[in-house]
Amino acid sequence: MAQFFITYPERSCEKTGFDHVRDTAAREAFTPYGYERVLNCKPSSDPGVVQRRLSLASQWLKVVESGLFPPLTQLDDIRDIVKECRIEGSMVQLTDFIIILDHAKTARKLKDFFDKLEGDFTHLTELGSTLIPLRELEKRISQTINDLGELRDDASSELRKIRTALNRSKNNLRATIQRVLRRLNSEGMTSDEGATIRSGRMVVPILAEFKRKVDGFIHDVSSTGQTLYLEPVEALQINNEIRQLEAEEKRETERIMRELSSFVRKFTDELDLNTETIAELDEIASKSAFGLKINGSIPVISGGLHLKLIQAFNPNLILKNLTARQKEPVIPLDLELTDQERALVITGPNAGGKSVAMKSVGLLSLMFQCGFPLPLHPDSRLPVISGLYVDMGDDQSIEDDLSTFSSRLKWMKNTLERLRPGSLVLVDEAGSGTDPEEGGALFQAFTELLVERGARVIITTHHGSLKVFAHQREEVVNGAMEFNQEHLSPTYRFRKGIPGSSYAFEIADRMKLPGILMERARSLLGENRDKMGDLLVSLERSIQESEEIRTRYNRRVAELEKKERIFDEEQSSFKNKKNQLLQKAYRDAEEILRGANQRIERAVEKIITEGSADRGLIREAREDVDLAKTTLEREKSELTEEIQIQKRYRQVPSEGDFVIIGDSNSTGELVEITGKKATVLVNGLRVKAPLKSLVKTDP
C-alpha cells in the first residue's frame, strides 16, 4: 500500500515557497473544482502516481504548444445543486438548470476533443474517455429553458396558452390605463407622474383633492399626502384577470420545473463523475498554464536519490520578476548529487544564495511530485522522495516556552522519530543558536544519523567543523556559493566539491573598518584558522581564474568552429559550381561529338554510295570518334562518383552507420558519438576520431 508523503513541520510548504506556487497556479483554473485541487494538491511518494501526473502535464503542454486548446470554460459549482437534486421531490431552481446544462455541454465537447486527438497522448485520451456525454439531458433542458435562464413559452402547450392570454390582458390593461390617464390629465386631476405599479397592480397618480371625483381603488399615498395612487374602476377586472393568469403561470412553471428536476435526477451519478474528470482536467490545465508562465518543462524521474538539476530556476523568483517594474537577474542552479552522495554541506558568505539554493531543491521536489512543469532543462533528473523535513527560519514559541535553539532540538527529535528512508531533509544555518563547537558537533551527529537511515540531507552553514566533516566522509560532499573577489559580491552560482569562505574579513576590509580592529580580530581568530580562510579564498580565486580561462577558450573554439564551418560551406559551394560547369561542358561536348558522328556517318554513306571509299580512312575516322566517346564517358563517370562522395561527406553519420575514417581508407561501424568525437569499431578495435572526419559509406 502506498504511503502518504510526509512534510514536517506543517509550515514546510510555506517555508519552501510551495504555498505561493499553489496560490498562483490555482488562479489559472476555470472551475471551482480545479481551483480547489491545485490549492490543496499534495506530493505523492508513489513513483507510478508521479509519472502519471508528469505525463499528463507533458501531454497537455504538447497539445497547447501544437496550437490546439481543449474546450475548458468557466463553470459555476454544480456539486450542491446535484446533491440537492438527489432528494426525491426536490425542485431545481431555473438558473441552476443553466449550470447543469453548461456542465453537460462542456463534458461532451471535452470528450469529443480528446476522442479526435491524434498522436501519443495516451494518458490524456484515457482521462477524456471517462467523460459521459449527456445529449438527452442537454436536449431536454434546452427545450425547456432559454439562454437567459427563463422558462421557454413553448415548454408546454398549457404554458404557451397562459402566457398568450397574459400578454393579451397586459396589453389591454396598458391601453385602458393610458386612456384613463389622458382623460384625467385633460381635466387637470393628475400629477406629473405617469402610470405606475403599486401592490402588483397598475395605477394612475391623481391629486388628493380629486379623490372623490374618480371611481376606483386607492392603493397608496405619496409621502406628502398630495398624490394618491388609484386603480381606475375600468382596470379592476383586467387587473384581476392578470393576477389570476399569473397564478396559473406560476403553478404551471412549478409543475414543469419539478418534472424537469425529476428528469435531471436520473443523471446525478453521471454528473458527479463528469465533475470529477473536469476537475482533474482543470487541475492539469492550471498547472500547465503556470508551467508555461515560468517557461517550465518536464524532467526525468531518476532511480534512487540521484539528483541532477540543469539550469534550474527558483519559480518564485521568476514570478517576482513577472510583476516587478525593475527586473533582477535570476541565476540558474546547476547541482548534481549521485545516489551515493547522501549529504551536501553548502557554505559561503551571507546573502550569497545558500538558503535560496537549498530552498529551490525542496520547492522543485514538491512541485515535481505534484505534477508541475519545472523551470529547468528537460534533461534534469529528480528522485521521488518519500517526505520533506525542513528546519528553516525561527520557530521559537512563547506559548511553549521554547527558545530558537530549543525549537530546533524539538524539530530534530521529531524528525528522527518520523523519518522514512528516501526523505529529503533541509537544514538552514546548521549549528547556529548555540556554542559553535557544540552546535557543529550536534548537527554533524544528526546528519550522520539521517544518512544512516537512508535520507538525503542538504544543510547550509558557516561552521568550519562541518566543512571538514563533509571533506572526510565519502557520502557527504562540500558545496559553495561562488563569490566575486574583485568586487566582493556574490555571483549566486553554486560550485560542488569545495567549501566556501564566509569572507567576513575581506568584506570588513572593503568596508574600511579600522586596521587596528582587523589586526586584533585576525590575532584572536588564530593563525591556523586564518591560514585556512586564506587557503579557501586563494582556492576560489584560482577556480575563478580557471573559469575565466575556460570561458575565453570556449569562446575562441566557438569562433574558430564558426569560421571553419563558413570556410567548408564556401568550399562546398565552390565545388558545386565547378561540378555544374564541368557537367555543362560535358553535355556540350556530347552534343558536338554527336553532331560530328552524324556528319561522319553521312560522309561515309555518301562515299560508299559513290563507290570511291578509302576504307582505311573511314575506319580511322570512326576509331577517333569512338575514342573521344569512351574518354568522355570515363570522365563523366569519374565526375558522378566524385559528386556522390561529396554528398556522403555532407551527410553527418549516425550511430550504427558504416564509415570511412578521414583519408586512411579504414572502414568500420560508428558505435558511439560524444559531442564532436566519435568511436569507430575497426576490425574489433575501438578507434576514436573527430566526427567531422568520418564519411558515411555502404557496409
Side-chain angles (χ1 to χ4, degrees):
M1 186 176 72
Q3 293 178 308
F4 289 107
F5 186 92
I6 295 177
T7 54
Y8 178 75
E10 291 182 0
R11 292 177 58 223
S12 294
C13 291
E14 176 190 342
K15 291 184 174 188
T16 56
F18 186 49
D19 277 355
H20 185 244
V21 166
R22 288 189 295 195
D23 289 345
T24 306
R27 289 196 287 271
E28 301 288 340
F30 288 94
T31 69
Y33 338 114
Y35 180 87
E36 292 169 10
R37 285 180 69 115
V38 175
L39 202 61
N40 300 313
C41 68
K42 291 179 173 56
S44 172
S45 57
D46 185 338
V49 173
V50 175
Q51 184 61 66
R52 180 180 179 275
R53 290 177 174 179
L54 295 173
S55 296
L56 284 166
S58 175
Q59 290 172 17
W60 193 282
L61 286 174
K62 287 179 182 176
V63 169
V64 173
E65 288 167 355
S66 68
L68 300 174
F69 296 95
L72 266 172
T73 187
Q74 298 287 340
L75 294 173
D76 291 323
D77 200 333
I78 198 178
R79 290 170 294 189
D80 288 343
I81 299 171
V82 174
K83 183 179 179 181
E84 186 177 344
C85 186
R86 287 181 180 276
I87 302 171
E88 196 68 35
S90 62
M91 185 175 72
V92 177
Q93 298 302 308
L94 276 173
T95 52
D96 291 343
F97 284 117
I98 295 299
I99 296 174
I100 295 170
L101 178 62
D102 289 342
H103 276 73
K105 285 181 177 179
T106 299
R108 172 177 52 80
K109 290 176 181 177
L110 283 168
K111 180 172 176 58
D112 289 346
F113 177 86
F114 289 114
D115 284 348
K116 295 173 183 176
L117 193 60
E118 297 180 353
D120 185 16
F121 300 104
T122 308
H123 285 100
L124 270 183
T125 52
E126 285 179 356
L127 182 58
S129 68
T130 63
L131 289 164
I132 306 167
L134 301 174
R135 290 183 174 84
E136 187 180 358
L137 180 62
E138 282 186 61
K139 182 180 178 181
R140 181 68 177 272
I141 294 176
S142 297
Q143 288 175 341
T144 308
I145 314 290
N146 64 24
D147 294 339
L148 299 176
E150 300 168 342
L151 211 59
R152 292 168 59 102
D153 291 346
D154 58 354
S156 73
S157 57
E158 182 64 20
L159 183 63
R160 180 190 289 277
K161 178 182 174 183
I162 293 169
R163 285 186 173 176
T164 300
L166 185 59
N167 288 333
R168 186 166 54 246
S169 294
K170 285 181 178 180
N171 290 334
N172 187 18
L173 176 63
R174 278 192 292 271
T176 301
I177 289 292
Q178 289 300 322
R179 187 169 60 252
V180 171
L181 193 59
R182 283 195 299 271
R183 176 172 60 80
L184 295 176
N185 190 39
S186 66
E187 296 174 3
M189 296 183 182
T190 62
S191 67
D192 293 335
E193 295 180 64
T196 185
I197 302 293
R198 289 291 188 273
S199 303
R201 300 172 79 91
M202 189 170 281
V203 295
V204 294
I206 64 169
L207 298 174
E209 60 264 31
F210 299 110
K211 66 179 181 179
R212 298 188 185 280
K213 295 185 178 182
V214 181
D215 293 333
F217 182 79
I218 297 173
H219 286 274
D220 199 2
V221 180
S222 68
S223 57
T224 61
Q226 295 180 356
T227 303
L228 306 178
Y229 297 97
L230 179 140
E231 181 181 2
V233 67
E234 297 93 329
L236 283 172
Q237 183 58 34
I238 304 173
N239 264 323
N240 289 338
E241 290 176 3
I242 290 174
R243 296 298 287 269
Q244 182 179 351
L245 288 169
E246 286 175 344
E248 292 177 9
E249 180 188 31
K250 184 179 179 182
R251 285 194 295 273
E252 180 63 11
T253 296
E254 186 174 321
R255 185 194 68 77
I256 294 170
M257 288 171 60
R258 289 192 182 281
E259 187 178 283
L260 185 57
S261 298
S262 297
F263 187 78
V264 171
R265 193 169 294 120
K266 296 188 292 184
F267 299 94
T268 50
D269 289 342
E270 290 85 348
L271 287 168
D272 279 340
L273 290 171
N274 282 349
T275 299
E276 282 299 311
T277 302
I278 290 172
E280 186 172 358
L281 288 169
D282 194 19
E283 178 187 7
I284 298 164
S286 302
K287 290 176 179 177
S288 300
F290 176 84
L292 290 172
K293 184 179 289 187
I294 60 172
N295 195 28
S297 57
I298 307 298
V300 180
I301 295 180
S302 66
L305 286 176
H306 181 205
L307 172 70
K308 185 177 183 181
L309 300 179
I310 306 172
Q311 294 286 291
F313 293 87
N314 186 295
N316 286 319
L317 294 181
I318 297 176
L319 292 175
K320 181 181 176 183
N321 265 351
L322 290 176
T323 56
R325 289 185 178 179
Q326 188 171 357
K327 300 187 186 328
E328 297 178 359
V330 181
I331 308 302
L333 174 64
D334 291 284
L335 188 158
E336 181 172 13
L337 295 173
T338 66
D339 189 42
Q340 292 73 36
E341 294 170 336
R342 292 303 178 104
L344 170 65
V345 178
I346 306 177
T347 50
N350 285 321
K354 301 187 301 294
S355 299
V356 172
M358 179 188 69
K359 190 183 293 186
S360 295
V361 175
L363 174 56
L364 293 173
S365 297
L366 291 172
M367 292 175 64
F368 177 68
Q369 291 176 223
C370 281
F372 280 90
L374 305 182
L376 42 61
H377 193 282
D379 290 340
S380 299
R381 309 178 73 87
L382 282 86
V384 176
I385 59 176
S386 58
L388 180 68
Y389 303 81
V390 177
D391 180 15
M392 192 183 302
D394 189 354
D395 282 329
Q396 64 178 321
S397 172
I398 295 174
E399 292 81 3
D400 296 335
D401 194 25
L402 292 176
S403 67
T404 299
F405 185 67
S406 297
S407 68
R408 301 195 80 170
L409 295 179
K410 180 182 177 182
W411 174 84
M412 291 170 70
K413 177 178 179 293
N414 290 336
T415 294
L416 289 171
E417 290 174 352
R418 305 178 187 199
L419 187 76
R420 289 210 307 252
S423 296
L424 175 62
V425 183
L426 307 178
V427 183
D428 195 25
E429 299 294 346
S432 63
T434 187
D435 177 82
E437 291 186 5
E438 293 179 358
L442 188 62
F443 274 90
Q444 177 178 331
F446 178 62
T447 302
E448 289 174 344
L449 197 53
L450 292 173
V451 170
E452 287 175 10
R453 295 186 181 182
R456 159 70 54 71
V457 189
I458 300 178
I459 66 175
T460 71
T461 186
H462 289 283
H463 286 266
S465 61
L466 292 175
K467 300 176 188 179
V468 175
F469 161 64
H471 177 72
Q472 292 176 340
R473 292 289 292 266
E474 185 177 351
E475 71 275 22
V476 185
V477 292
N478 270 304
M481 302 309 295
E482 187 182 76
F483 195 76
N484 187 312
Q485 296 188 29
E486 181 180 353
H487 300 99
L488 290 180
S489 61
T491 66
Y492 305 107
R493 289 188 177 88
F494 173 79
R495 183 177 290 115
K496 178 184 169 185
I498 61 168
S501 170
S502 295
Y503 287 94
F505 286 175
E506 288 74 17
I507 295 173
D509 286 334
R510 176 71 177 267
M511 299 296 293
K512 297 187 176 0
L513 265 67
I516 188 170
L517 184 152
M518 298 306 302
E519 185 178 344
R520 175 61 175 157
R522 285 188 168 92
S523 67
L524 290 172
L525 180 64
E527 185 178 349
N528 289 336
R529 288 191 64 185
D530 196 26
K531 286 182 179 178
M532 175 60 73
D534 290 343
L535 179 62
L536 289 175
V537 171
S538 175
L539 176 61
E540 186 158 351
R541 184 183 297 114
S542 299
I543 291 173
Q544 288 180 7
E545 290 172 355
S546 298
E547 287 289 341
E548 290 175 3
I549 293 171
R550 183 186 302 172
T551 300
R552 288 199 298 270
Y553 169 77
N554 290 337
R555 189 183 302 120
R556 183 61 179 158
V557 168
E559 290 173 356
L560 290 173
E561 288 179 345
K562 182 179 179 181
K563 289 179 180 179
E564 183 181 10
R565 187 169 60 253
I566 292 172
F567 174 78
D568 289 343
E569 289 172 355
E570 289 176 347
Q571 188 178 37
S572 175
S573 176
F574 173 77
K575 287 183 177 180
N576 286 337
K577 289 179 180 177
K578 174 186 172 184
N579 291 334
Q580 289 172 3
L581 290 172
L582 284 172
Q583 285 181 316
K584 185 176 184 302
Y586 284 132
R587 285 196 300 271
D588 292 345
E590 280 184 315
E591 288 295 326
I592 293 169
L593 280 172
R594 192 179 296 111
N597 192 39
Q598 290 174 354
R599 287 196 297 273
I600 291 170
E601 291 291 342
R602 285 197 296 271
V604 168
E605 184 179 350
K606 183 177 180 181
I607 293 170
I608 292 173
T609 303
E610 293 177 355
S612 57
D614 185 341
R615 297 190 181 276
L617 186 61
I618 293 169
R619 186 167 53 254
E620 185 178 336
R622 279 184 168 168
E623 287 175 355
D624 288 343
V625 172
D626 289 341
L627 179 61
K629 288 173 68 177
T630 303
T631 303
L632 183 65
E633 290 295 333
R634 185 180 69 252
E635 292 180 354
K636 185 177 177 183
S637 176
E638 291 173 354
L639 175 63
T640 301
E641 184 177 353
E642 182 181 348
I643 291 171
Q644 291 301 320
I645 292 173
Q646 288 180 12
K647 283 183 179 178
R648 286 204 298 269
Y649 264 104
R650 288 196 295 271
Q651 292 179 350
V652 178
S654 306
E655 291 182 5
D657 290 341
F658 279 84
V659 295
I660 301 172
I661 303 175
D663 299 326
S664 66
N665 289 329
S666 297
T667 61
E669 181 185 357
L670 177 56
V671 293
E672 184 180 357
I673 298 175
T674 308
K676 297 177 182 178
K677 298 291 184 181
T679 303
V680 182
L681 194 63
V682 181
N683 297 326
L685 297 175
R686 296 172 70 87
V687 179
K688 292 188 178 295
L691 179 60
K692 66 180 181 180
S693 70
L694 305 183
V695 180
K696 187 176 177 181
T697 187
D698 297 325

